[in-house]
Amino acid sequence: MRKRFYLLATLSLILSAGLAWLWFPAVGLLGLVICVVMLGIHDIFQSRHTILRNFPVGGHGRWFMEWLRPMMYQYFIESETDGVPVSRMFRSVVYQRAKGVLDTVPLGTKMDTYRTGYEWMDHSLMALKADELDQDPRVIIGGPDCKQPYAASILNISAMSFGALSKHAILALNGGAKIGGFAHNTGEGGLSPHHLEPGGDLIWQIGTGYFGCRNEEGHFSEQLFVKNATLTNVKMIEIKLSQGAKPGHGGILPAIKNTPEIAEIRGVQPYTQVDSPPAHSAFFTPLEMMQFIHLLRELSGGKPIGFKLCLGRKSEFIALCKAMIETGIKPDFITVDGGEGGTGAAPLEYTNSVGTPLREGLAFVVDCLIGFDLKKDIRVIASGRVFTGFHIVRLLAQGADLCNSARGMMMALGCIQSLECNKNSCPTGVATQEPSLYKGLVVADKKQRVANFHKETVEAVVELIAAASLKSTDQLKRCHIQRRVSAEQVRCYDEVYPSLEPGCLLQEPYPEAFKKLMNNAHAEHF
């Protein structure tokens, strides 16, 4: 191919030079040919890419096709149901509800109802009128030691930091939360002025980097914590142990997105990659973690304190439950994130192969709390691919009390799943710190779309529970959800995920499935 390039380059130069000699306007063509020839010569002598050395000039087509492929696939090839990480069917319903336009579908389901794994909800022949039920169901979060309980919506904005998202995206999300009366989780990147300006309710997340309550050594600072935790906007505080997309790794903020403004908020150097530690330095054992929860509750004036985790080693969660029983200190809520959770940037191995998927993780956490007789005081929040009313109903039936959505809220903002979150080049201005891009996101318009998506999705939940002849979401049980486990067999969720009897883990004999886990779990260490 190199010999062929030399031949074609020589002929092209001779022909274009001759044409330019005879007809002066062809000088432009000669210039173009010279540029192409120089590019080809560069390709031949560079040493990084074999394709370019063997196929000068033409080899660049490979990179062009690699760039074009995701867009071609999304717009012309993928079906309504096979797009990843979020299918077109669910992207479309989020867009429609956010815009307040027609969100019904014609002709019938596009789902294969006979595939293994298909799930549905049982309805009742005595369905209720949805408009007679509470259209804005709330859940009170706050245990016996909480002095400022919070009435949370059943759907809230999941953790996404300023840094991962643009300031316009943060303003629009919190503005939507203000309009709709639901909560906005700050993510581990700390409290920014953009979180506070619209006045929406906030769940302040504290990660292993302690951004917003971090001293010069990078450790937890009580003084800085009190300054933010006592703000009126901050309704709850969440300790982040791990997240579904990269459990055991710690958060990642690419250097290109770490602007001076973000660096000042986080207390780090600008334009450096910020890797949060994989574990906390404020505590090292389950017992110490309970004491840390007690400390935060006292310093915050009695606000709800909880923690977020993606379930990993099951014995470690049981160790946390044992520590709750031993100390008498309990979190007010636990957020369970699924291994399928989203992120702005994560190593492939962690995204694909680390962490328990949400439904399995949620069932285990809820069962442990029931087994230790803790569930009555602790609310459980589920987070992971929540886009529709059925997604919420399914998780509430498993034992969650409320749900969080991250990617659903991003799509309400206008995210088109361009998969540019880790490159600072998000075309919709949602996941970028590039002013020329995020200035295209109009906060006044997008905050209303966020509120619309929340309102219509919650209304869909109310319609579904009415169809099941239920008056409130806390009446949902595992028996309401069915799963096809094979071509010939269907099981209820209570068969797939059998529940424990309240208090059965407080003394022996333990249920058979928990015997080994109980023996391996110790409140003194993880």
Side-chain angles (χ1 to χ4, degrees):
M1 289 302 296
R2 287 194 289 269
K3 291 181 179 179
R4 186 178 298 176
F5 168 76
Y6 287 133
L7 177 61
L8 290 174
T10 301
L11 290 174
S12 298
L13 285 170
I14 292 172
L15 290 174
S16 58
L19 184 60
W21 176 263
L22 297 173
W23 186 50
F24 183 76
V27 169
L29 175 62
L30 175 61
L32 177 62
V33 170
I34 291 173
C35 290
V36 172
V37 170
M38 292 178 64
L39 174 63
I41 292 172
H42 171 269
D43 291 344
I44 289 171
F45 287 98
Q46 59 83 35
S47 58
R48 293 188 63 190
H49 302 291
T50 303
I51 289 289
L52 294 182
R53 284 173 62 84
N54 291 340
F55 301 91
V57 182
H60 287 277
R62 175 184 179 276
W63 279 268
F64 174 73
M65 296 305 292
E66 288 278 354
W67 171 78
L68 189 63
R69 177 182 174 275
M71 292 173 280
M72 292 290 291
Y73 183 82
Q74 180 178 138
Y75 289 106
F76 299 107
I77 299 174
E78 77 172 31
S79 73
E80 291 290 299
T81 59
D82 66 359
V84 290
V86 185
S87 70
R88 176 172 293 277
M89 177 172 60
F90 294 138
R91 298 200 306 269
S92 295
V93 75
V94 173
Y95 298 148
Q96 291 157 358
R97 289 175 175 172
K99 295 175 183 178
V101 300
L102 185 68
D103 65 345
T104 55
V105 294
L107 210 56
T109 182
K110 296 173 184 176
M111 306 285 285
D112 179 2
T113 59
Y114 293 97
R115 67 171 174 82
T116 299
Y118 175 72
E119 296 176 340
W120 67 93
M121 184 194 79
D122 285 340
H123 66 286
S124 170
L125 295 179
M126 293 299 293
L128 305 176
K129 292 182 178 179
D131 57 6
E132 295 179 356
L133 303 183
D134 183 1
Q135 299 298 303
D136 185 23
R138 296 271 158 175
V139 176
I140 303 299
I141 301 178
D145 298 323
C146 177
K147 298 176 183 178
Q148 300 185 50
Y150 176 63
S153 171
I154 59 169
L155 176 62
N156 301 282
I157 302 171
S158 197
M160 294 180 284
S161 300
F162 174 49
L165 301 190
S166 68
K167 67 178 182 181
H168 281 206
I170 296 295
L171 287 167
L173 287 172
N174 196 257
K178 175 69 173 178
I179 294 170
F182 52 99
H184 175 196
N185 193 306
T186 65
E188 68 171 301
L191 273 171
S192 73
H194 314 303
H195 287 104
L196 298 168
E197 180 183 328
D201 293 347
L202 291 169
I203 302 171
W204 179 24
Q205 186 181 86
I206 299 174
T208 55
Y210 302 108
F211 303 122
C213 54
R214 168 192 180 102
N215 61 24
E216 293 181 357
E217 290 75 36
H219 300 307
F220 176 73
S221 166
E222 292 187 15
Q223 292 75 20
L224 293 176
F225 173 81
V226 171
K227 179 182 177 181
N228 285 328
T230 54
L231 293 171
T232 304
N233 298 44
V234 176
K235 303 300 181 182
M236 305 198 299
I237 293 100
E238 179 180 82
I239 304 165
K240 177 187 171 184
L241 301 181
S242 59
Q243 73 179 90
K246 45 180 180 282
H249 189 280
I252 301 173
L253 180 66
I256 195 171
K257 298 175 78 172
N258 184 19
T259 65
E261 180 186 19
I262 293 168
E264 183 178 356
I265 292 169
R266 296 196 179 199
V268 297
Q269 291 297 315
Y271 299 116
T272 59
Q273 178 164 308
V274 180
D275 295 317
S276 297
H280 279 267
S281 59
F283 54 86
F284 299 96
T285 71
L287 291 174
E288 289 179 357
M289 180 176 158
M290 295 307 118
Q291 295 299 332
F292 187 62
I293 289 173
H294 176 73
L295 174 65
L296 298 190
R297 188 179 284 128
E298 291 297 312
L299 293 175
S300 67
K303 291 183 178 181
I305 310 294
F307 62 85
K308 170 184 176 178
L309 85 166
C310 174
L311 183 67
R313 194 173 297 164
K314 293 181 178 180
S315 60
E316 293 184 343
F317 185 78
I318 292 178
L320 290 173
C321 292
K322 287 186 174 183
M324 296 176 203
I325 297 298
E326 185 172 331
T327 62
I329 301 169
K330 293 169 282 190
D332 298 292
F333 66 93
I334 297 173
T335 302
V336 183
D337 201 11
E340 66 272 37
T343 182
L348 177 72
E349 294 84 355
Y350 283 81
T351 295
N352 288 350
S353 308
V354 182
T356 305
L358 177 58
R359 275 168 273 175
E360 285 73 19
L362 175 62
F364 183 83
V365 167
V366 169
D367 288 343
C368 283
L369 295 178
I370 292 172
F372 281 97
D373 201 25
L374 295 166
K375 182 65 176 67
K376 62 183 184 296
D377 295 325
I378 300 173
R379 298 291 173 259
V380 177
I381 305 173
S383 175
R385 289 189 179 174
V386 175
F387 304 105
T388 71
F390 176 69
H391 292 155
I392 296 174
V393 165
R394 181 173 59 191
L395 295 171
L396 299 187
Q398 270 198 280
D401 297 288
L402 57 154
C403 296
N404 287 345
S405 176
R407 284 169 290 189
M409 296 296 180
M410 287 177 66
M411 287 172 183
L413 286 175
C415 166
I416 59 173
Q417 193 166 278
S418 60
L419 306 181
E420 298 285 317
C421 312
N422 59 338
K423 301 175 184 176
N424 202 40
S425 53
C426 170
T428 59
V430 175
T432 179
Q433 300 305 320
E434 176 55 54
S436 64
L437 293 172
Y438 70 66
K439 286 182 179 178
L441 193 159
V442 180
V443 174
D445 175 62
K446 302 305 182 186
K447 69 180 181 182
Q448 187 60 56
R449 292 193 183 190
V450 170
N452 290 347
F453 168 65
H454 172 271
K455 178 176 182 292
E456 295 204 21
T457 305
V458 171
E459 288 178 355
V461 172
V462 175
E463 289 180 352
L464 287 174
I465 64 171
S469 194
L470 305 176
K471 294 183 178 180
S472 62
T473 55
D474 60 6
Q475 292 180 307
L476 283 164
K477 305 299 178 186
R478 294 180 185 180
C479 61
H480 289 111
I481 306 297
Q482 304 281 344
R483 175 187 290 178
R484 183 176 295 284
V485 296
S486 70
E488 301 85 15
Q489 193 173 19
V490 171
R491 289 184 180 175
C492 290
Y493 257 25
D494 57 3
E495 296 177 286
V496 179
Y497 306 107
S499 299
L500 295 185
E501 290 296 322
C504 68
L505 297 178
L506 291 174
Q507 60 184 8
E508 297 187 78
Y510 305 125
E512 188 63 33
F514 282 78
K515 286 182 178 178
K516 184 176 180 180
L517 294 173
M518 291 293 292
N519 291 330
N520 291 337
H522 303 280
E524 294 76 20
H525 59 81
F526 284 108

